[in-house]
């Protein structure tokens, strides 16, 4: 699952630390892809759909934590890819 948050450039380092905390909290591996020049964050949340503890739900919660954090530091839930139907068209 890939997210598309954006944060002010001055908040990139602390956002990466927060994503690490989210990874530990939810027991998921999260790979960080981002644009250092403009603050676009594309954390990729890895999960297996077949496990009994429903990791897709954990991945969704982790994504919500990350995007809420982006908003809390003055960013947005999307930096370049859009949301909803706009993201997938």
């Amino acid at each position: 699952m890939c997210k598309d948050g954006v944060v002010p450039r001055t908040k990139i380092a602390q956002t990466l630390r927060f994503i690490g905390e989210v990874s530990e909290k939810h027991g998921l591996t999260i790979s960080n892809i981002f644009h250092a020049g403009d603050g676009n964050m594309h954390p990729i949340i890895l999960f297996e759909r077949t496990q009994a503890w429903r990791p897709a739900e954990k991945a969704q919660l982790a994504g919500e934590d990350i995007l809420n954090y982006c908003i809390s530091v003055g960013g947005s839930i999307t930096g370049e890819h859009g949301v909803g139907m706009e993201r997938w068209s």
Side-chain angles (χ1 to χ4, degrees):
M1 174 183 298
C2 182
K3 294 299 179 181
D4 177 42
V6 65
V7 297
R9 288 179 299 185
T10 59
K11 304 294 184 180
I12 291 174
Q14 74 185 54
T15 302
L16 291 172
R17 282 190 293 276
F18 179 79
I19 292 171
E21 293 169 8
V22 169
S23 174
E24 289 181 26
K25 172 184 172 184
H26 293 284
L28 297 167
T29 299
I30 301 177
S31 176
N32 289 296
I33 310 296
F34 61 96
H35 307 230
D38 60 13
N40 283 305
M41 310 297 289
H42 303 297
I44 300 171
I45 305 165
L46 305 177
F47 65 95
E48 293 183 40
R49 295 178 190 269
T50 59
Q51 294 182 1
W53 45 269
R54 305 181 69 157
E57 290 178 11
K58 282 187 163 189
Q60 185 64 37
L61 292 172
E64 289 175 17
D65 287 351
I66 292 167
L67 294 180
N68 284 330
Y69 184 82
C70 289
I71 293 167
S72 76
V73 296
S76 174
I77 64 169
T78 185
E80 60 186 337
H81 298 289
V83 294
M85 292 304 291
E86 288 296 316
R87 182 160 185 198
W88 303 110
S89 58

